[in-house]
Amino acid sequence: MRFGNQLNGRFSVPVSWVDEWYLSVEAKAEMKRNGVKMNAKGRYDDIDAEAARVILQKYLAGC
């Protein structure tokens, strides 16, 4: 949050805040729906990339 505030204050760049509370659940569901397999530890390797994709998709959709 600090970086966003500095960016806005120093350069007057608009900053959009995202509530990440439910994002990993959404990302896991999307990966499962798309047939992505979990690794040997029962985790998705690219969960952070998928969460970032979900954030960007929501931003571009205007949500």
Side-chain angles (χ1 to χ4, degrees):
M1 201 144 122
R2 181 177 170 207
F3 176 73
N5 289 333
Q6 288 175 340
L7 190 64
N8 179 268
R10 190 170 296 164
F11 301 107
S12 297
V13 175
V15 176
S16 296
W17 302 104
V18 176
D19 182 5
E20 297 182 46
W21 180 78
Y22 195 69
L23 269 174
S24 61
V25 173
E26 284 186 62
K28 286 176 186 177
E30 188 68 24
M31 293 178 85
K32 187 176 183 178
R33 200 172 16 258
N34 289 330
V36 177
K37 303 289 183 198
M38 290 184 181
N39 64 20
K41 294 180 180 179
R43 299 181 186 145
Y44 292 105
D45 289 326
D46 296 327
I47 193 70
D48 291 334
E50 180 63 20
R53 188 196 63 76
V54 170
I55 292 170
L56 180 59
Q57 184 176 17
K58 287 182 179 226
Y59 176 79
L60 293 176
C63 292

